Amino acid sequence: MTLVGPASWREPVARWLEYEADLVLAAEIDPEFRPAHVFDLPTSDVVIAFADAKDPDLAVEMALELQAKDRGTGIILVLSGLRDDMARRFSAYAGSWSLVTSRTTADPVKLTVVIQSSARGMPVVEPAVTKLIEAGWRVRSSDELGPGPISEPEFSAV
């Protein structure tokens, strides 16, 4: 498994992974200080990438490169929120990537289920993310003001 995101997000997830015998952490990457070549990184079955609501592009680009390097890699994109101008882009990933909120990475049971599912090629889209994407589509469809952040809605059980 590879973690992509800022250290403040990666550290608690990495600590939790130390206690999961079935899950091995192969690499941790800060997308702002990424390695020169993606091919220098170890192969992973699953990449968990934290996409900052203000600028999700760094994490998304890194996840795309890692998936291109190792076909079949499961991607879990963790969204802290979603700019309304990004709704269509993220909805395109929903068919092949797992899309979850940042609260899922704080819940070891939920995260384990998403990791196992993604490793088997069965992406999970959390209901709260579906609501974020739908809200972004509505805002863009009605041609309201330019991009604005859409924050995570309250969670129901996954």
Side-chain angles (χ1 to χ4, degrees):
M1 177 170 333
T2 298
L3 298 177
V4 176
S8 60
W9 172 80
R10 287 190 330 261
E11 288 172 3
V13 177
R15 276 196 307 269
W16 166 72
L17 287 171
E18 291 175 5
Y19 297 99
E20 293 296 319
D22 296 338
L23 304 174
V24 177
L25 182 58
E28 291 186 56
I29 304 166
D30 186 326
E32 292 189 29
F33 305 105
R34 49 182 284 147
H37 300 287
V38 72
F39 293 99
D40 294 337
L41 296 169
T43 299
S44 294
D45 293 333
V46 175
V47 171
I48 305 175
F50 178 81
D52 188 321
K54 296 174 198 135
D55 185 16
D57 293 336
L58 292 173
V60 170
E61 289 169 8
M62 189 78 219
L64 284 167
E65 288 180 29
L66 290 167
Q67 192 173 43
K69 172 187 167 265
D70 299 314
R71 296 284 181 205
T73 297
I75 303 293
I76 301 170
L77 192 60
V78 180
L79 301 168
S80 64
L82 184 64
R83 293 188 335 233
D84 60 4
D85 63 325
M86 299 297 286
R88 291 181 184 187
R89 179 175 175 194
F90 283 113
S91 65
Y93 298 128
S96 60
W97 287 10
S98 290
L99 302 175
V100 299
T101 61
S102 56
R103 293 183 188 179
T104 296
T105 59
D107 183 331
V109 174
K110 285 183 184 178
L111 184 56
T112 300
V113 169
V114 175
I115 290 169
Q116 291 171 344
S117 180
S118 295
R120 292 183 182 109
M122 298 179 296
V124 173
V125 178
E126 190 174 336
V129 172
T130 302
K131 290 177 185 177
L132 288 173
I133 291 171
E134 288 172 353
W137 271 86
R138 281 193 300 275
V139 169
R140 296 304 294 168
S141 298
S142 64
D143 288 323
E144 292 182 10
L145 298 175
I150 300 171
S151 60
E152 291 181 12
E154 287 302 311
F155 287 76
S156 57
V158 175

